[in-house]
Amino acid sequence: NILGVYVSYLLILKQLHIQNNHADKICSLLIDKSDCNNILESDAARFMGFSWSEIGLGYFISNILIMIMLPHLYAYVALINICTLPYTLWSVWYQKFKARQWCPLCLAVKAILWLFFFYNLFQGLLKLPEFSIQHILIVGCIYIIPVLVLNIFISVLSEARQKEKITQELNSLKTNDE
């Protein structure tokens, strides 16, 4: 999950066009068919107004929070991980057949999700939780709140970076004598 947080953070940096050597090196791994930016800027990179990068970072943060603060609810974490697996298959299909480009950072997140599943499977941690309304509400809030906060924060940061870029372009025009 910590690795998932880090890779998702790198994806958010790419999404915001913030220079990062690690992200750039990973995104250029597959040389000819690799372009994280094209994948991250495609229509498929968003779901209901949220970027998959924000959802991924929120997901991994939530997993860590539950494992540290509410370990008795771990069965929900394992169950939600299973629910992420169809998305991983769709994402790989999309990159291969629709976009015809690969995002190595995105693929790393998919690999982490599958590794997490196999870890849970081999450790015998895949079991149905004892469902209760209170547990479902707690777990739901722990997964929803980080994604909402990240979405707001990233929107504000993106807007601020856009304003800064426009200001720089305007100042460049002002200093140009022509």
Side-chain angles (χ1 to χ4, degrees):
N1 283 296
I2 292 171
L3 184 59
V5 166
Y6 179 68
V7 175
S8 297
Y9 166 74
L10 293 178
L11 275 166
I12 291 202
L13 292 179
K14 291 297 283 182
Q15 173 185 323
L16 293 172
H17 303 289
I18 296 174
Q19 180 68 32
N20 181 282
N21 291 336
H22 292 147
D24 292 339
K25 284 180 185 176
I26 294 170
C27 280
S28 65
L29 283 177
L30 301 174
I31 302 174
D32 291 346
K33 296 187 181 215
S34 176
D35 193 343
C36 290
N37 291 333
N38 283 348
I39 299 297
L40 292 173
E41 292 172 6
S42 71
D43 291 338
R46 299 193 73 72
F47 178 72
M48 294 175 42
F50 298 92
S51 76
W52 283 114
S53 305
E54 296 163 357
I55 294 169
L57 183 56
Y59 167 80
F60 289 115
I61 289 170
S62 299
N63 286 350
I64 292 170
L65 290 173
I66 291 173
M67 288 190 289
I68 291 172
M69 297 186 330
L70 303 164
H72 63 283
L73 297 178
Y74 186 84
Y76 288 96
V77 173
L79 182 62
I80 291 169
N81 171 251
I82 292 171
C83 295
T84 68
L85 300 180
Y87 160 74
T88 67
L89 300 175
W90 171 82
S91 179
V92 170
W93 173 86
Y94 177 84
Q95 290 180 55
K96 178 163 179 63
F97 295 108
K98 285 288 198 182
R100 292 191 172 106
Q101 290 183 328
W102 296 104
C103 170
L105 282 170
C106 303
L107 295 175
V109 169
K110 301 337 170 238
I112 292 166
L113 291 170
W114 279 95
L115 287 172
F116 191 41
F117 166 73
F118 286 120
Y119 172 80
N120 288 331
L121 180 66
F122 294 131
Q123 292 296 317
L125 300 171
L126 295 178
K127 48 189 156 193
L128 283 177
E130 293 180 23
F131 291 103
S132 77
I133 297 296
Q134 181 183 7
H135 288 163
I136 291 171
L137 289 174
I138 290 169
V139 170
C141 287
I142 291 173
Y143 278 100
I144 291 170
I145 291 171
V147 174
L148 292 175
V149 169
L150 283 167
N151 180 266
I152 292 166
F153 176 74
I154 290 168
S155 295
V156 168
L157 183 60
S158 179
E159 194 173 299
R161 288 184 51 80
Q162 186 67 23
K163 285 180 184 176
E164 182 181 320
K165 182 180 175 185
I166 291 170
T167 302
Q168 288 174 349
E169 289 174 4
L170 180 62
N171 288 338
S172 176
L173 286 172
K174 286 181 181 179
T175 60
N176 186 346
D177 291 337
E178 294 177 15

